[in-house]
């Protein structure tokens, strides 16, 4: 079975089953195991002196281990690869988490804040409804790239080893890729490698959102907005999503009790927004997923 055919089936399996609670309440999820490996190396190596080199060493060990594990598991057959790939994709769980924010806001602002706090790292306690909505939509766009398109891309390019390497790097970046005294040096290699591995998928995700959104005619404006973003990659899917549903994203927000003045993405869009804009973002998540599925299927037929 070709890699494209396996990806097609994995995308369908993930979209159908998502993350079964009955299974992952009994067994550790692979992402949890990855997190434990990263945490172990961080505690062992992130000590005084030459933290930059130690962080690069830790990342190298993690990437090599992930590649070898992917190769070993992949040798068990196509259906095992399909199952593992489906587990490491996150379309259905992403949609569920984002839609939960809209459902929460329909009940109360407090419920919306609680739901969005599950998917973003910024301060949510003082957010108004529009800020909660922006956070959910930004998370939807960015995690479509990180959790669906990038894993699918690397699986297609390099099979299960490629997917496993991407996931360990992305998980490491989410855990240690911060500019804090503890992680500034040690996590730099993980952060930079994550930027490299997401460079193509982020721009591909941007296109996958822009095409069904009918906003490819505003491509120059999307690119200009994307380049203003603090991240070299996250701004691309966010800029496309902002244009596709006509909202302004990013802008000022609080981290650790301190307001930070980030530029707006799609600044001409609506700024007073709510659940219906989140619903629109969810529709675009499925449209982008559908195009990805179609492309994988077409490659499988070739």
């Amino acid at each position: 079975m070709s890699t494209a055919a396996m990806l097609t089936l994995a995308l369908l399996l993930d979209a159908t089953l998502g993350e079964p609670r009955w299974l992952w309440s009994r067994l550790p999820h692979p992402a949890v195991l990855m997190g434990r490996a990263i945490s172990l190396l961080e505690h062992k190596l992130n000590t005084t002196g030459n933290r930059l080199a130690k962080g690069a060493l830790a990342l190298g060990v993690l990437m090599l281990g992930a590649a070898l594990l992917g190769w070993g598991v992949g040798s068990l057959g196509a259906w095992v690869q399909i199952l593992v790939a489906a587990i490491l994709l996150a379309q259905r769980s992403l949609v569920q988490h984002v839609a939960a924010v809209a459902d929460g806001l329909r009940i109360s602002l407090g419920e919306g804040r609680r739901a969005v706090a599950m998917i973003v790292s910024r301060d949510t306690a003082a957010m108004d409804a529009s800020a909660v909505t922006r956070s959910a939509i930004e998370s939807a766009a960015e995690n479509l790239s990180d959790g669906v398109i990038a894993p699918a891309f690397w699986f297609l390019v390099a099979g299960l080893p490629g997917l496993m390497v991407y996931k360990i790097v992305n998980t490491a970046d989410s855990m240690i890729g911060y500019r804090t005294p503890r992680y500034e040096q040690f996590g730099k290699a993980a952060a930079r490698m994550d930027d490299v591995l997401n460079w193509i998928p982020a721009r591909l995700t941007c296109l996958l959102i822009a095409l069904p959104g009918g906003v490819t005619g505003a491509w120059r404006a999307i690119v200009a907005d994307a380049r203003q973003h603090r991240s070299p990659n996250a701004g691309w899917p966010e800029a496309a999503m902002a244009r596709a549903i006509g909202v302004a994203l990013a802008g000022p927000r609080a981290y650790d009790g301190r307001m930070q003045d980030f530029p707006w993405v799609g600044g001409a869009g609506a700024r007073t927004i709510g659940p219906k804009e989140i619903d629109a973002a969810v529709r675009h998540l499925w449209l982008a997923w559908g195009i990805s599925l179609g492309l994988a299927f077409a490659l499988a037929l070739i």
Side-chain angles (χ1 to χ4, degrees), residues 152-173:
F153 175 83
W154 287 110
F155 181 73
L156 194 61
V157 168
L160 201 56
L163 172 54
M164 296 288 281
V165 167
Y166 171 76
K167 290 300 291 187
I168 198 73
V169 170
N170 188 245
T171 305
D173 177 56

Side-chain angles (χ1 to χ4, degrees), residues 201-213:
R203 287 147 183 81
L204 180 59
T205 306
C206 178
L207 185 60
L208 290 170
I209 295 171
L211 278 171

Side-chain angles (χ1 to χ4, degrees), residues 216-292:
T216 52
W219 187 254
R220 287 187 178 180
I222 289 172
V223 171
D225 278 344
R227 288 175 174 168
Q228 289 189 75
H229 201 281
R230 67 193 186 282
S231 165
N233 294 318
W236 289 82
E238 285 187 24
M241 186 68 82
R243 292 275 172 174
I245 62 178
V247 300
L249 299 177
R253 78 277 306 276
Y255 289 98
D256 300 319
R258 184 168 62 90
M259 285 297 298
Q260 298 187 40
D261 189 20
F262 294 122
W264 290 95
V265 171
R271 299 189 184 185
T272 302
I273 52 179
K276 67 182 180 65
E277 282 79 17
I278 298 177
D279 294 340
V282 168
R283 287 193 294 273
H284 283 282
L285 292 180
W286 281 118
L287 288 169
W289 175 89
I291 296 174
S292 302

Side-chain angles (χ1 to χ4, degrees), residues 7-290:
L7 176 59
T8 301
L9 293 172
L11 285 165
L12 288 168
L13 189 60
D14 166 58
T16 302
L17 299 179
E19 303 283 354
R21 289 187 181 181
W22 62 267
L23 178 61
W24 303 125
S25 63
R26 292 168 173 80
L27 295 173
H29 193 282
V32 173
L33 297 177
M34 290 180 184
R36 290 175 183 173
I38 294 162
S39 182
L40 176 64
L41 283 175
E42 193 271 333
H43 284 297
K44 292 286 187 181
L45 296 177
N46 192 13
T47 55
T48 56
N50 212 5
R51 294 189 180 200
L52 185 64
K54 289 177 180 178
L57 173 63
L59 183 67
V61 169
L62 290 166
M63 292 176 69
L64 178 61
L68 291 173
L69 181 60
W71 176 81
V73 173
S75 67
L76 298 176
W79 286 102
V80 174
Q81 293 187 63
I82 292 166
L83 179 61
V84 174
I87 290 170
L88 295 177
L89 293 168
Q91 173 72 13
R92 188 172 183 87
S93 62
L94 170 61
V95 166
Q96 289 172 335
H97 280 93
V98 173
V101 181
D103 294 340
L105 281 174
R106 289 187 174 99
I107 297 171
S108 69
L109 177 57
E111 288 298 321
R113 287 171 176 167
R114 276 187 282 275
V116 83
M118 301 290 289
I119 58 174
V120 299
S121 60
R122 69 197 67 167
D123 297 340
T124 61
M127 283 183 175
D128 61 15
S130 293
V132 169
T133 301
R134 278 194 297 275
S135 298
I137 295 172
E138 289 163 21
S139 182
E142 184 175 352
N143 284 293
L144 175 64
S145 179
D146 289 357
V148 183
I149 306 305
F153 175 83
W154 287 110
F155 181 73
L156 194 61
V157 168
L160 201 56
L163 172 54
M164 296 288 281
V165 167
Y166 171 76
K167 290 300 291 187
I168 198 73
V169 170
N170 188 245
T171 305
D173 177 56
S174 69
M175 292 178 64
I176 62 174
Y178 295 103
R179 292 180 177 177
T180 63
R182 182 177 180 88
Y183 298 128
E184 172 74 29
Q185 294 299 310
F186 187 81
K188 184 168 289 188
R192 294 296 174 266
M193 183 58 70
D194 187 69
D195 288 342
V196 170
L197 295 183
N198 274 303
W199 197 92
I200 294 175
R203 287 147 183 81
L204 180 59
T205 306
C206 178
L207 185 60
L208 290 170
I209 295 171
L211 278 171
V215 293
T216 52
W219 187 254
R220 287 187 178 180
I222 289 172
V223 171
D225 278 344
R227 288 175 174 168
Q228 289 189 75
H229 201 281
R230 67 193 186 282
S231 165
N233 294 318
W236 289 82
E238 285 187 24
M241 186 68 82
R243 292 275 172 174
I245 62 178
V247 300
L249 299 177
R253 78 277 306 276
Y255 289 98
D256 300 319
R258 184 168 62 90
M259 285 297 298
Q260 298 187 40
D261 189 20
F262 294 122
W264 290 95
V265 171
R271 299 189 184 185
T272 302
I273 52 179
K276 67 182 180 65
E277 282 79 17
I278 298 177
D279 294 340
V282 168
R283 287 193 294 273
H284 283 282
L285 292 180
W286 281 118
L287 288 169
W289 175 89

